[in-house]
C-alpha cells in the first residue's frame, strides 16, 4: 500500500487507509461505469472518492514502474491547478494497492463540491438567460489556455459551475483531471 494524505487533511488518514474495506460496503454511488465514484461522510466532512478501474496486466506494469497512477495524477493535478488559481475540489488523498508487486487498485479522495455539473446548465441552452454563463465559460476556457492548462477530457461532464448571486459572477471547477498537460510556456493572447 502507498498512501499520501494532504497535510491539511491528516485527520482523514484513517478513512483513506480503510478505503479498500469501506468502498464496496458504504457510500452513495454517484457514478458507476469504468470507474466508480462515491460520496462519503467522514469526520463530519463531505468527501468524494473515485476508485479507478483495475488496470490490465500491461497497464499495471506501466503504472507500477513507468508512469504515475491515475489517482496520484488526479491529486497532483488538483494541487497544481489550485496553485495556478484554477478551481478544482480540494484534494484530500490518493492511494495505491498492489498485488504480486503490481498496482491493482487506486483511489483519489477530494472534498465534495457544491457546484453543479455543466450538463445541468446546458440542458436549457440556448436561451437568452444562458448567454452570461456561456460568456463566462468562454472566458474561463481562455484563462485555462493562457495558463498553459490543457485538460485532455474537456467536456461538460468534467466541468462544474455555480452562479454567485451576491456578485453576479459565474465560477467553474474542473474534475476528472488525471489526463491533463501543463505547458511550460503558457499561451499568450
Amino acid at each position: 500500500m502507498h498512501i499520501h494524505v494532504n497535510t491539511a487533511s491528516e485527520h482523514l488518514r484513517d478513512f483513506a487507509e480503510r478505503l479498500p474495506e469501506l468502498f464496496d460496503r458504504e457510500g452513495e454511488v454517484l457514478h458507476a461505469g469504468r470507474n466508480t465514484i462515491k460520496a462519503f461522510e467522514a469526520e463530519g466532512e463531505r468527501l468524494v472518492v473515485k476508485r479507478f478501474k483495475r488496470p490490465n496486466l500491461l497497464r499495471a506494469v506501466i503504472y507500477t514502474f513507468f508512469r504515475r497512477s491515475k489517482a496520484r495524477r488526479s491529486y497532483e493535478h488538483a494541487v497544481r491547478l489550485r496553485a495556478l488559481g484554477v478551481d478544482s475540489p480540494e484534494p484530500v488523498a490518493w492511494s495505491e494497492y498492489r498485488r504480486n508487486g503490481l498496482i491493482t487498485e487506486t483511489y483519489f479522495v477530494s472534498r465534495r463540491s457544491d457546484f453543479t455539473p455543466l450538463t445541468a446548465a446546458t440542458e436549457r441552452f440556448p436561451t437568452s438567460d444562458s448567454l452570461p454563463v456561456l460568456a463566462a465559460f468562454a472566458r474561463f476556457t481562455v484563462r485555462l489556455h493562457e495558463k498553459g492548462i490543457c485538460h485532455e477530457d474537456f467536456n461538460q461532464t468534467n466541468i462544474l459551475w455555480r452562479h454567485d448571486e451576491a456578485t453576479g459572477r459565474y465560477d467553474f471547477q474542473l474534475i476528472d483531471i488525471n489526463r491533463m498537460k501543463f505547458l511550460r510556456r503558457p499561451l499568450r493572447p
Side-chain angles (χ1 to χ4, degrees):
M1 169 179 77
H2 191 151
I3 187 167
H4 176 83
V5 178
N6 186 327
T7 55
S9 301
E10 191 60 40
H11 61 287
L12 295 167
R13 178 174 290 278
D14 182 60
F15 169 78
E17 288 175 347
R18 293 180 37 231
L19 278 174
E21 65 189 69
L22 294 175
F23 196 83
D24 286 330
R25 294 189 329 232
E26 298 179 22
E28 170 195 353
V29 176
L30 301 176
H31 174 78
R34 183 178 69 239
N35 306 307
T36 304
I37 302 170
K38 285 187 158 187
F40 288 87
E41 286 219 13
E43 301 294 322
E45 300 195 41
R46 296 175 45 210
L47 304 172
V48 171
V49 179
K50 182 173 187 177
R51 180 175 65 188
F52 289 90
K53 176 185 173 188
R54 183 169 286 179
N56 63 30
L57 180 61
L58 176 61
R59 290 199 182 278
V61 169
I62 291 169
Y63 291 139
T64 302
F65 300 109
F66 303 107
R67 192 166 187 209
R68 292 181 176 154
S69 71
K70 291 179 180 184
R72 182 174 177 177
R73 282 183 283 148
S74 294
Y75 180 93
E76 291 174 350
H77 290 171
V79 169
R80 191 160 182 191
L81 284 170
R82 292 167 68 87
L84 290 169
V86 175
D87 201 7
S88 185
E90 183 182 349
V92 171
W94 62 268
S95 57
E96 300 170 343
Y97 297 85
R98 298 172 187 228
R99 184 172 296 131
N100 299 322
L102 297 177
I103 287 177
T104 56
E105 284 187 87
T106 59
Y107 298 88
F108 169 61
V109 183
S110 70
R111 299 212 187 285
R112 187 167 184 182
S113 175
D114 60 352
F115 285 34
T116 304
L118 193 57
T119 50
T122 57
E123 289 172 358
R124 64 174 202 236
F125 290 164
T127 63
S128 59
D129 65 331
S130 65
L131 293 179
V133 70
L134 289 173
F137 177 68
R139 287 189 298 275
F140 171 73
T141 303
V142 168
R143 204 171 103 234
L144 290 177
H145 288 280
E146 288 174 348
K147 292 177 180 278
I149 300 166
C150 298
H151 192 308
E152 294 185 339
D153 195 8
F154 194 63
N155 65 65
Q156 61 190 3
T157 62
N158 294 333
I159 301 158
L160 305 177
W161 76 290
R162 75 171 173 201
H163 180 243
D164 185 333
E165 295 290 336
T167 64
R169 194 176 78 207
Y170 293 92
D171 297 311
F172 299 91
Q173 289 182 334
L174 294 179
I175 59 171
D176 198 5
I177 54 176
N178 63 288
R179 290 182 18 218
M180 300 190 88
K181 288 187 181 168
F182 295 88
L183 302 177
R184 282 190 166 84
R185 294 185 184 152
L187 303 175
R188 300 285 178 217

